[in-house]
Amino acid sequence: GEDVEQSLFLSVREGDSSVINCTYTDSSSTYLYWYKQEPGAGLQLLTYIFSNMDMKQDQRLTVLLNKKDKHLSLRIADTQTGDSAIYFCAESLGYGNKLVFGAGTILRVKS
Amino acid sequence: EPEVTQTPSHQVTQMGQEVILRCVPISNHLYFYWYRQILGQKVEFLVSFYNNEISEKSEIFDDQFSVERPDGSNFTLKIRSTKLEDSAMYFCASSDFQSGGGPYEQYFGPGTRLTVT
């Protein structure tokens, strides 16, 4: 079945890089996503990666995918206090399909 | 920028009562979803809806739950007889159809916090 696991908490200093890790079980996943949730807000899509890609860069965000190990990571360069939030990894089989979420990683950025 | 809206933001109800959670998806989107997040737990898929019918549902989505698109703009989730364990944040989402099998983005609303007492 589908399952997504994440580490629960990460604390970094402002200006450092943050790396949030995720593992998933469904090898037929087509797309993998990173969502951000700020307090009291909904889930905001940050970025996604197609399963035949190894890496995707989008400004300060870099997504790395190791399909063999079913491991996904999100690197945030030059982390700012405004990046403090919960980050969710999610997988899906393609459009119209449900998202399966991890439990979320709380990112705390210390100034 | 278009967004998904949900009402109410917080609903308190007594066990056994019916509740209807309302969502207005982004206007040109064709896929609609409900997810829930029990406090401290993962965001869980409940149901997806396309072309006026349920396309997929989870084990959580039992006979107590139903969804409806009563008009061209609203998408509702009804819980017929609420239980204490239905207390959660309920998120509505919508997505567009991507031709060619491209990636789709599910846009989430801010959620409705349901408290069953």
Side-chain angles (χ1 to χ4, degrees), chain A residues 50-67:
Chain A
F50 188 40
S51 59
N52 70 351
M53 297 169 65
D54 298 323
M55 186 181 89
K56 181 179 180 182
Q57 187 147 4
D58 186 358
Q59 298 182 331
R60 290 192 298 124
L61 305 179
T62 303
V63 179
L64 294 178
L65 175 61
N66 181 328
K67 199 172 179 184

Side-chain angles (χ1 to χ4, degrees), chain B residues 10-64:
Chain B
H10 190 194
Q11 172 96 44
V12 181
T13 189
Q14 289 190 326
M15 196 166 52
Q17 295 297 304
E18 175 184 286
V19 293
I20 297 176
L21 309 183
R22 291 184 165 79
C23 169
V24 179
I26 294 173
S27 62
N28 61 338
H29 283 185
L30 299 176
Y31 291 91
F32 313 112
Y33 312 83
W34 284 101
Y35 293 82
R36 79 171 186 192
Q37 185 180 30
I38 295 172
L39 189 63
Q41 297 187 23
K42 293 184 179 184
V43 176
E44 301 171 291
F45 168 77
L46 291 178
V47 65
S48 58
F49 191 86
Y50 172 69
N51 201 25
N52 283 319
E53 61 183 25
I54 290 173
S55 50
E56 188 176 0
K57 61 182 181 180
S58 70
E59 291 175 355
I60 303 166
F61 195 87
D62 61 21
D63 292 343
Q64 292 298 312

Side-chain angles (χ1 to χ4, degrees), chain A residues 76-91:
Chain A
I76 306 173
D78 187 25
T79 314
Q80 303 297 307
T81 53
D83 295 324
S84 292
I86 304 175
Y87 290 80
F88 292 92
C89 169
E91 62 173 347

Side-chain angles (χ1 to χ4, degrees), chain A residues 3-5 31 33 35 37 40-43 45 48 88 92 94-99 101-103, chain B residues 31 33 35 37 41-43 45 48 55-56 91 97-98 100-106 108-110:
Chain A
D3 193 22
V4 178
E5 297 293 334
Y31 294 101
Y33 302 82
Y35 279 83
Q37 185 182 33
L43 298 163
L45 178 66
Y48 64 88
F88 292 92
S92 82
Y95 64 74
N97 291 101
K98 66 184 181 187
L99 294 176
F101 285 89
Chain B
Y31 291 91
Y33 312 83
Y35 293 82
Q37 185 180 30
Q41 297 187 23
K42 293 184 179 184
V43 176
F45 168 77
S48 58
S55 50
E56 188 176 0
F91 292 105
F97 176 82
Q98 293 284 349
Y104 72 109
E105 297 183 21
Q106 287 190 27
F108 282 76

Side-chain angles (χ1 to χ4, degrees), chain B residues 40-99:
Chain B
Q41 297 187 23
K42 293 184 179 184
V43 176
E44 301 171 291
F45 168 77
L46 291 178
V47 65
S48 58
F49 191 86
Y50 172 69
N51 201 25
N52 283 319
E53 61 183 25
I54 290 173
S55 50
E56 188 176 0
K57 61 182 181 180
S58 70
E59 291 175 355
I60 303 166
F61 195 87
D62 61 21
D63 292 343
Q64 292 298 312
F65 292 87
S66 62
V67 288
E68 192 178 27
R69 188 153 163 81
D71 52 42
S73 59
N74 290 284
F75 180 52
T76 62
L77 174 69
K78 182 193 290 187
I79 309 175
R80 286 190 185 79
S81 178
T82 50
K83 306 183 189 72
L84 294 175
E85 55 264 36
D86 293 328
S87 294
M89 181 72 90
Y90 287 80
F91 292 105
C92 173
S94 69
S95 68
D96 197 359
F97 176 82
Q98 293 284 349
S99 61

